[in-house]
Amino acid sequence: MNVYRTRAGLFHQFRDVLQFYYPAMIDTVVGGYAAQVDERDGYVYDARTRHLVAAARGVHNFSLGVLENGPDWCRYAAEHGLQFLSSVHWDDEREGYDWQLDCREPTDRTRYCYGHAFVLLAGARAHEAGIPGGRAELERAFDVLEERFYETEHGLYADRATPDWDSLSPYRGQNANMHACEALLAAYEATDEERFLERAYTVADRFTREVTSATDGLLWEHYTEEWEPDLAYNEDQPAHQFRPPGYQPGHHAEWAKLLALLADHRSEGWLLERARELFDAAVDFGWDDEHGGLYYTVQDDGEPIVADKYGWVHIEAIGASALLSRFDDAYAEWYDRLWAYSREHLINPKYGNWYARLTRAHERDGPNRGPAVEPGYHPLTNCWLAMRALEDEPPAFGTS
């Protein structure tokens, strides 16, 4: 039996990831989180850089620890990170969150929707966990997203702005909108206020049904100002770490997860139908039949562009399959298959944290320290969601 069909097995993995990052990333001198932790041996390899996304994800992660009755230090760790996020990352003069700092000094003040979405997520989870200041951060981040990034005529968010908000980039992206949708759902769950659910539904509907009609229902990553697919974007940089060309199986699975979560709060039948379509697409064109695992990026026929295996891709697919398996046992089979692959290749046997990236044949081609924005957010989130799925008394998930 798959041990991750049990709450005990999932909580063990959840706790292992939390303990990998605590106390290593807690910085009591500079403040905030030194989130650049070597994924193999657990030491901080960069104690100076402070990244907005890492800060927000850390608050989110430790807040989940509080919600799941994890170790007592989770509350302190969440409060510690939220204080730095709300005071040092926040630019009071320009009213936005600074993207990157050297210790406490800003080095990049570009205003990214992606970063502000993660602050909204952090505030929502902190508020839900009873962390002081969580609700205030939720409201502040939401206000910036609505006033500076949301484009009513498209029902979607712009991507980035200059530090003084003088101009928006013409680039429009899938990823910022996906994480905005995630954060809005969390804000709804934390407050029970319909405005957050309505906005999350609008973004999901607009992107996963309307925008994707131009690419036969598949999720392209990069768009023009008018939300037309920019199929040539970064085509000369196929291995770009954050904005590669091609289709990403991991984001298809991640959107499937979000639509399944939305379906828990909305009655529209298309949500689960589209969630199934997106998950099926992820595994149909993304699964590597020779070596196992999901490719990072592919062409629309499933031919890999970057065949590397990323940890976040597989744990997102695990979260999606856990939610979908409540309705169809075929997804429970994928849940087991993805966990078996991940245990063999992607989870550090020494600490239980997840590796960021391996080659197609599961080798390392460098130090593999992982991106500076990833302090365990993907595995913690999806273990937590799978534990919630077990509580729902589903017809399929949790059976042998």
Side-chain angles (χ1 to χ4, degrees):
M1 179 181 174
N2 178 4
V3 67
Y4 299 112
R5 293 273 195 115
T6 69
R7 279 189 55 84
L10 287 164
F11 184 77
H12 183 82
Q13 167 65 189
F14 181 86
R15 184 194 59 206
D16 282 353
V17 176
L18 282 173
Q19 290 180 330
F20 178 74
Y21 290 100
Y22 184 92
M25 63 184 276
I26 306 298
D27 189 328
T28 57
V29 178
V30 173
Y33 302 133
Q36 294 73 244
V37 181
D38 181 89
E39 65 181 16
R40 202 178 314 186
D41 297 315
Y43 64 88
V44 174
Y45 62 84
D46 174 3
R48 297 184 63 89
T49 302
R50 296 292 183 270
H51 198 290
L52 177 62
V53 175
R57 286 178 171 182
V59 173
H60 161 272
N61 293 350
F62 292 119
S63 297
L64 288 189
V66 175
L67 289 170
E68 200 52 42
N69 295 314
D72 290 343
W73 41 256
C74 288
R75 182 171 296 278
Y76 159 73
E79 291 174 351
H80 176 83
L82 184 61
Q83 190 281 329
F84 190 90
L85 178 65
S86 64
S87 60
V88 185
H89 272 285
W90 174 254
D91 178 354
D92 197 50
E93 179 183 352
R94 300 168 184 83
E95 297 189 333
Y97 293 93
D98 291 335
W99 182 245
Q100 191 162 298
L101 315 173
D102 178 13
C103 292
R104 303 173 76 90
E105 291 300 316
T107 56
D108 185 351
R109 287 188 136 152
T110 306
R111 310 304 181 198
Y112 285 94
C113 175
Y114 182 86
H116 286 71
F118 271 104
V119 179
L120 175 60
L121 179 67
R125 293 302 182 211
H127 175 59
E128 190 175 2
I131 305 300
R135 180 60 189 255
E137 217 58 42
L138 180 163
E139 294 292 352
R140 184 159 68 177
F142 180 71
D143 286 347
V144 178
L145 285 166
E146 290 296 290
E147 293 171 12
R148 298 294 192 177
F149 292 106
Y150 189 69
E151 297 182 305
T152 305
E153 66 273 27
H154 298 296
L156 293 165
Y157 291 93
D159 190 75
R160 64 186 182 273
T162 54
D164 290 319
W165 302 106
D166 292 335
S167 63
L168 288 171
S169 165
Y171 173 87
R172 298 293 181 269
Q174 176 281 135
N175 205 18
N177 282 274
M178 180 180 70
H179 285 291
C181 181
E182 175 192 31
L184 290 160
L185 269 170
Y188 169 70
E189 291 178 349
T191 65
D192 203 33
E193 294 184 11
E194 288 290 326
R195 58 186 171 130
F196 300 119
L197 182 62
E198 286 295 328
R199 179 66 80 238
Y201 180 85
T202 297
V203 171
D205 186 18
R206 175 68 175 129
F207 185 77
T208 67
R209 289 210 293 176
E210 296 183 38
V211 171
T212 58
S213 63
T215 47
D216 295 325
L218 297 178
L219 309 179
W220 191 249
E221 297 288 321
H222 315 293
Y223 295 84
T224 68
E225 210 166 359
E226 296 302 317
W227 281 97
E228 297 171 348
D230 185 352
L231 300 176
Y233 188 87
N234 273 353
E235 63 182 359
D236 59 340
Q237 300 183 66
H240 194 283
Q241 187 175 15
F242 297 112
R243 289 185 172 176
Y247 296 94
Q248 294 196 36
H251 284 158
H252 283 71
E254 203 163 353
W255 265 114
K257 177 189 79 175
L258 294 177
L259 295 181
L261 288 171
L262 267 169
D264 289 340
H265 305 298
R266 302 278 300 217
S267 60
E268 290 84 351
W270 73 265
L271 289 163
L272 278 178
E273 179 182 355
R274 190 74 175 110
R276 290 188 180 102
E277 290 174 356
L278 292 175
F279 185 91
D280 293 349
V283 296
D284 286 347
F285 67 61
W287 189 260
D288 181 348
D289 290 326
E290 181 178 355
H291 295 282
L294 292 162
Y295 298 127
Y296 182 45
T297 56
V298 298
Q299 299 176 18
D300 57 4
D301 62 359
E303 184 67 22
I305 300 172
V306 175
D308 292 348
K309 308 300 167 57
Y310 279 71
W312 73 263
V313 171
H314 295 81
I315 191 61
E316 286 296 333
I318 284 169
S321 60
L323 295 172
L324 290 172
S325 68
R326 297 175 298 171
F327 311 100
D328 186 337
D329 199 47
Y331 297 103
E333 294 173 13
W334 270 110
Y335 179 84
D336 291 341
R337 187 176 183 181
L338 287 157
W339 267 120
Y341 174 84
S342 300
R343 289 184 73 181
E344 182 177 358
H345 299 294
L346 293 168
I347 299 176
N348 184 344
K350 184 176 180 181
Y351 295 112
N353 61 297
W354 286 60
Y355 298 134
R357 179 182 59 83
L358 303 174
T359 67
R360 181 182 184 185
H362 312 121
E363 299 171 344
R364 289 189 176 84
D365 55 5
N368 261 356
R369 289 175 167 174
V373 298
E374 181 43 64
Y377 147 79
H378 288 284
L380 287 167
T381 298
N382 289 284
C383 283
W384 186 64
L385 288 175
M387 284 189 277
R388 290 172 63 186
L390 278 173
E391 294 172 344
D392 288 345
E393 298 183 0
F397 188 59
T399 60
S400 60

